[in-house]
Amino acid sequence: MLLLQNARIASENSPVLLESDVLIVEGKIQAIGSNLAIPEGARVIDARGRILMPGMFDAHVHFRAPGFENKETITTGSEAAINGGITGVVMMPNTRPALDSATAVATVLENARDRARIPVYTSGCVTKNREGKELAEIEGMRELGVKMLTDDGDTTADPAVLLRAMQYATEFGMFFASHCEVPELAGPRALNEGVMSYRLGIKGSPACAEEIIIDRDIRLARAAGAHVHIQHVSSKLGMETIRWWKSRGDVKVTAEVAPHHLLFTDEHIGDYDTNYKMNPPLRTQADCDALLEGLKEGVLDLIATDHAPHTPFEKAQDFISAPNGITGLDTALVSLYHHFVAPGKFGWDLVVKRYSAEPRRLMGLPVAAIEVGQPADCVLFDTDAETTFTKDFMKSKSQNTPFIDQTLKGSVDLVVLGTEVLLER
Amino acid sequence: MARKDLLDIASLHREEIEFLLDQSTSFKKLFTRSVKKIPALEGKSVLMLFYEASTRTHSSFEVAAKRLSAEVTNFNVDHSSITKGESVRETIETLQAMRTDYIVVRHSHSGLPGMIARQTTASVINAGDGAHEHPTQALLDAFTIKEKFPDPRGKKVLIIGDILHSRVARSTSTLLQKLGIEVAYLGPGSLVPKYVPASIPRFTDYEAAMAWAPDVVYLLRVQLERQDVQFFPSVREYHRVYGITNTRLAEISDKGLYIMHPGPVNRGVELCDAVMDYERSLITNQVENGISVRMAVLDWLTPGGDFPKQEAYAAQPRAGSTVIMP
Ligand SMILES: [Zn+2]
């Protein structure tokens, strides 16, 4: 039994924070109200001034297992999630071997049950070994609960293959998540094409390389009657392309944005800082501004980090040799608070909607909420405290993040899931 | 004003540039003496780390170092294997152990000399990194121009060719602009990016570029080895549209314009054979000036000092394979 007194409750439905006591009994929210009586044996936490919200859900993480356990494991990845106030994740299938069969998926889910303290879901590949040629064993994965199909990290190059996959898998109630990029236009260096790529002398990836596939995949989904989810949108025109398709209303499209695409531009790369090397690449301030607008408007349905750990050894190479990607789970919620909620760019309701409710809806899961009768799935956030993202703070096995050693406003103080207190600071 | 490394032109101050150009003048005077060596770098070691083959720059640095009485070592780089950042880092560990004073490095990856500089106490000189910078080339270009125009402010240099892949274009244009020289680019639309700095006019038409009235025409080497991706239809077409043909040379000669080229020249592509005998061709002056400029740079840099410890660097497991992943 846990009694949180005078917490300020955030909900996706209201910008107003409701101050109240919350009583959790046997993993369920039993009562919400002012001055709740303290039941015998209950642990009481004075939550005055702190925000209580449902646990976040990240629909785009790379846990690197199997195959790259030196970067991350299901255990370290899910602990990083808890550390950041996230109580559920969807893994991407670009592991080794790739998650393209029922056998591979079963192994991951079994591991997750044993080694993660939060639910870990996984997506499955569209094609065998993510090669874009033969369809993966789609139905077998569905039987194990896979809903999202993606060759994340690579665009399914042949549109005919993707169209057939969409026609086939939609029948099973599955949907498609697209990493959007024309590789022939992009080059391998994960840098926006523009002033900065000229200055650094590295072949850039033009935004149109992304925009073309966003449009292509939505058209394919429309033709197949499928649901397509556009991953980590980074460009203004990409966002506007999605907006236009959504406004037509004749195709099911959802989309996500990563915190780093809202926060950083290619200028941050500075003197070849590999902590800013990611795919899709960081673009310009105009793109950031458009993405923020798209997020508030709902063109971008949800926030997802694209948590992509790499070892310090790999990231300490020169910009061209270093792999793409940054970690995001440990830092996501605090950075969203520091850069957006605290300066008043959006409210907690948007955070809850875009980073807790919508991703769960995407996955067809029950939406967590601080309401009587709901299972306990909540995060207590201190807006007055600060977090310094030292190496020791991070629970991810890798620390390839621009936030390393930065101090930001806000702190995830408590994470409760069911009958367990997963984190307490 | 002491610096450990010379990695780029972009971060050089005007006074530093003036100083280096003045020093180059003094070093050049040495060349006429019977004893061309001075003991400025006696007892110091200069290591040549060339991941990309380059006879010209390599030997120019070597001569410069030897004239300063330094000991020159060539680090054997296997040009046949793909030299990724990971193997470079192992090399740096070795170099640091060797306690070399100067490292002259060329690599096809932009930013790599900077990475080495951060991980060694030696002075690192960027001898060309990818399409990023080639600072000593820029200094020798500026030096060559100043020999003809002692006060070069307001003069105009037209750089023709593959701007997209050219570290020479980037470094030289940056340096010339710092000296008050105007720069414009001319080249195929596929090789002159739209997003070059606004301070550099961008031409796609030869006549329009000449109407801009340059004092110097600077031709870049066409990277024929890069033609696996087609940036223009054919070498013949390139010569006709962007090259110095016999007809164009006559016009250039009439106007008294200077011609420069970083070498090695593709004859019949960037320029016709006759340019090699053109009296206002500065191509051999550039080669000669390269030595004194590089002597000035070596003499100027100060090895040693603290460098940030790369914690990541020690005792990390080597990844089995490097896979580019999101
Ligand atoms: Zn991803």
Side-chain angles (χ1 to χ4, degrees):
Chain A
M1 264 187 296
L2 188 63
L3 179 64
L4 298 157
Q5 288 179 321
N6 301 107
R8 301 162 73 203
I9 300 169
S11 136
E12 63 167 324
N13 301 317
S14 165
V16 182
L17 299 166
L18 174 81
E19 188 169 302
S20 196
D21 296 353
V22 175
L23 177 67
I24 298 167
V25 179
E26 283 168 4
K28 269 201 167 153
I29 297 175
Q30 200 180 62
I32 297 178
S34 39
N35 301 315
L36 291 182
I38 304 173
E40 198 164 329
R43 189 179 159 204
V44 181
I45 290 176
D46 177 13
R48 188 176 294 274
R50 291 189 273 176
I51 314 286
L52 185 68
M53 59 190 128
M56 302 297 135
F57 188 95
D58 203 310
H60 192 151
V61 304
H62 297 267
F63 277 179
R64 303 301 188 208
F68 305 95
E69 286 84 353
N70 56 333
K71 297 172 193 271
E72 194 80 289
T73 65
I74 290 177
T75 306
T76 57
S78 56
E79 289 304 314
I82 294 165
N83 200 30
I86 295 140
T87 55
V89 296
V90 183
M91 271 180 61
M92 291 297 120
N94 60 339
T95 49
R96 189 172 64 198
L99 307 181
D100 60 359
S101 68
T103 323
V105 166
T107 314
V108 163
L109 294 179
E110 219 167 276
N111 275 338
R113 266 193 300 277
D114 295 346
R115 294 173 192 170
R117 297 193 291 150
I118 54 169
V120 173
Y121 303 90
T122 184
S123 53
C125 297
V126 179
T127 62
K128 279 191 186 134
N129 203 28
R130 302 171 59 247
E131 283 167 1
K133 298 191 181 101
E134 293 172 65
L135 299 192
E137 286 172 35
I138 288 168
E139 208 279 331
M141 297 192 283
R142 182 197 65 101
E143 280 199 332
L144 294 166
V146 171
K147 287 219 164 288
M148 179 196 288
L149 293 171
T150 179
D151 283 346
D152 179 45
D154 288 302
T155 299
T156 309
D158 185 340
V161 170
L162 183 59
L163 180 65
R164 277 198 300 276
M166 284 175 162
Q167 289 162 337
Y168 182 78
T170 300
E171 301 289 311
F172 300 126
M174 299 168 99
F175 70 95
F176 288 78
S178 279
H179 171 108
C180 301
E181 183 181 44
V182 180
E184 292 86 349
L185 285 174
R189 304 308 177 211
L191 174 64
N192 183 46
E193 184 183 85
V195 176
M196 197 63 185
S197 68
Y198 170 81
R199 198 200 302 166
L200 295 178
I202 293 177
K203 176 171 168 38
S205 177
C208 71
E210 179 178 353
E211 291 146 7
I212 287 166
I213 301 295
I214 291 177
D215 190 66
R216 185 200 76 167
D217 286 6
I218 298 174
R219 282 172 195 270
L220 290 172
R222 183 174 176 276
H227 167 192
V228 68
H229 174 71
I230 306 298
Q231 296 176 302
H232 39 50
V233 180
S234 75
S235 97
K236 179 175 195 277
L237 261 184
M239 187 279 285
E240 286 173 0
T241 304
I242 297 164
R243 179 195 274 153
W244 184 79
W245 277 109
K246 281 189 164 186
S247 75
R248 288 178 51 97
D250 57 354
V251 53
K252 176 121 200 259
V253 192
T254 50
E256 73 191 32
V257 64
H260 50 257
H261 287 129
L262 295 165
L263 280 171
F264 304 119
T265 70
D266 54 1
E267 295 285 325
H268 283 94
I269 290 162
D271 195 13
Y272 301 98
D273 187 342
T274 58
N275 277 330
Y276 293 93
K277 181 177 180 181
M278 54 201 76
N279 190 9
L282 297 171
R283 302 202 191 273
T284 66
Q285 193 56 49
D287 294 295
C288 292
D289 295 345
L291 294 173
L292 177 60
E293 185 192 319
L295 184 71
K296 286 157 88 167
E297 221 179 287
V299 174
L300 306 173
D301 300 81
L302 53 105
I303 295 167
T305 58
D306 192 11
H307 176 77
H310 293 290
T311 63
F313 181 82
E314 292 166 292
K315 274 289 191 180
Q317 299 177 83
D318 66 284
F319 195 86
I320 291 173
S321 307
N324 298 322
I326 63 169
T327 63
L329 290 168
D330 295 281
T331 56
L333 196 54
V334 171
S335 65
L336 288 171
Y337 171 68
H338 179 98
H339 288 285
F340 296 108
V341 180
K345 292 185 179 164
F346 53 66
W348 282 114
D349 54 327
L350 190 106
V351 176
V352 173
K353 188 176 182 66
R354 302 273 172 244
Y355 200 21
S356 174
E358 289 297 337
R360 286 184 168 96
R361 281 190 192 107
L362 174 76
M363 295 303 295
L365 297 167
V367 171
I370 312 295
E371 284 165 15
V372 173
Q374 290 289 325
D377 182 344
C378 44
V379 171
L380 192 61
F381 191 93
D382 189 344
T383 52
D384 294 328
E386 288 185 332
T387 304
T388 303
F389 296 112
T390 59
K391 196 166 176 270
D392 289 337
F393 176 87
M394 308 290 190
K395 296 287 181 266
S396 170
K397 209 165 183 180
S398 301
Q399 288 89 42
N400 48 307
T401 159
F403 293 113
I404 192 83
D405 291 333
Q406 277 193 34
T407 299
L408 300 188
K409 272 180 260 175
S411 163
V412 174
D413 278 0
L414 186 75
V415 178
V416 179
L417 184 61
T419 54
E420 307 270 330
V421 174
L422 299 183
L423 171 91
E424 188 166 7
R425 257 193 265 280
Chain B
M1 139 159 143
R3 269 182 191 254
K4 176 170 123 18
D5 310 301
L6 178 63
L7 302 173
D8 58 11
I9 291 296
S11 68
L12 282 190
H13 301 297
R14 202 196 149 103
E15 306 79 66
E16 294 175 301
I17 294 163
E18 301 282 4
F19 175 80
L20 284 169
L21 295 178
D22 284 351
Q23 290 297 102
S24 306
T25 312
S26 318
F27 282 120
K28 192 171 179 180
K29 286 183 188 139
L30 276 180
F31 297 179
T32 53
R33 298 202 327 220
S34 56
V35 179
K36 294 185 175 62
K37 242 175 147 165
I38 57 161
L41 261 56
E42 203 162 75
K44 304 278 184 192
S45 55
V46 176
L47 194 121
M48 309 289 277
L49 189 56
F50 276 60
Y51 289 89
E52 259 183 8
S54 154
T55 320
R56 195 175 282 241
T57 307
H58 188 283
S59 51
S60 178
F61 267 109
E62 192 160 343
V63 171
K66 283 181 173 163
R67 286 196 182 166
L68 295 170
S69 307
E71 197 176 289
V72 179
T73 315
N74 285 295
F75 194 89
N76 212 350
V77 176
D78 180 7
H79 291 290
S80 62
S81 73
I82 301 162
T83 44
K84 289 189 67 85
E86 211 169 301
S87 62
V88 171
R89 295 232 329 263
E90 281 161 28
T91 307
I92 301 169
E93 285 174 26
T94 315
L95 298 183
Q96 190 56 25
M98 287 163 68
R99 296 274 157 208
T100 181
D101 300 294
Y102 301 85
I103 298 171
V104 180
V105 59
R106 167 170 288 197
H107 198 285
S108 58
H109 286 183
S110 304
L112 192 129
M115 184 192 93
I116 295 179
R118 285 190 288 275
Q119 295 176 12
T120 161
T121 51
S123 281
V124 174
I125 300 170
N126 179 2
D129 62 330
H132 178 224
E133 287 245 26
H134 192 356
T136 56
Q137 176 72 44
L139 286 162
L140 74 87
D141 289 340
F143 184 80
T144 306
I145 289 171
K146 273 194 82 176
E147 282 187 318
K148 297 299 165 193
F149 302 106
D151 180 6
R153 281 174 298 176
K155 296 294 169 201
K156 291 177 168 182
V157 175
L158 174 67
I159 301 181
I160 303 181
D162 178 356
I163 307 298
L164 181 65
H165 300 108
S166 176
R167 53 196 172 212
V168 175
R170 281 175 184 72
S171 285
T172 296
S173 65
T174 306
L175 181 44
L176 297 184
Q177 287 189 313
K178 287 188 183 213
L179 294 176
I181 297 169
E182 288 181 51
V183 179
Y185 286 157
L186 164 66
S190 50
L191 289 171
V192 185
K194 280 206 297 280
Y195 41 80
V196 298
S199 59
I200 302 178
R202 176 180 169 272
F203 296 106
T204 45
D205 175 71
Y206 183 87
E207 313 307 326
M210 290 310 282
W212 180 68
D215 300 285
V216 177
V217 175
Y218 192 118
L219 305 160
L220 296 172
R221 178 181 159 78
V222 174
Q223 311 273 320
L224 294 170
E225 61 275 17
R226 230 184 267 281
Q227 287 302 304
D228 54 328
V229 180
Q230 259 202 323
F231 287 96
F232 49 84
S234 75
V235 162
R236 196 194 314 189
E237 182 162 318
Y238 182 92
H239 182 63
R240 194 164 50 77
V241 183
Y242 304 102
I244 302 305
T245 58
N246 284 313
T247 327
R248 285 173 178 172
L249 181 61
E251 186 197 346
I252 282 171
S253 177
D254 282 349
K255 290 181 174 167
L257 310 186
Y258 289 98
I259 292 184
M260 295 173 72
H261 189 297
V265 169
N266 294 305
R267 292 187 183 213
V269 185
E270 298 98 69
L271 40 78
C272 59
D273 279 339
V275 173
M276 302 314 278
D277 304 320
Y278 175 52
E279 56 185 354
R280 290 196 190 81
S281 160
L282 303 178
I283 299 171
T284 49
N285 307 46
Q286 287 171 278
V287 177
E288 193 193 350
N289 292 336
I291 296 169
S292 43
V293 160
R294 286 170 178 128
M295 286 171 79
V297 168
L298 282 164
D299 186 49
W300 175 57
L301 295 175
T302 314
D306 284 339
F307 61 96
K309 263 255 174 290
Q310 298 277 311
E311 204 190 324
Y313 201 55
Q316 278 299 325
R318 304 286 201 257
S321 63
T322 308
V323 189
I324 305 271
M325 287 200 285

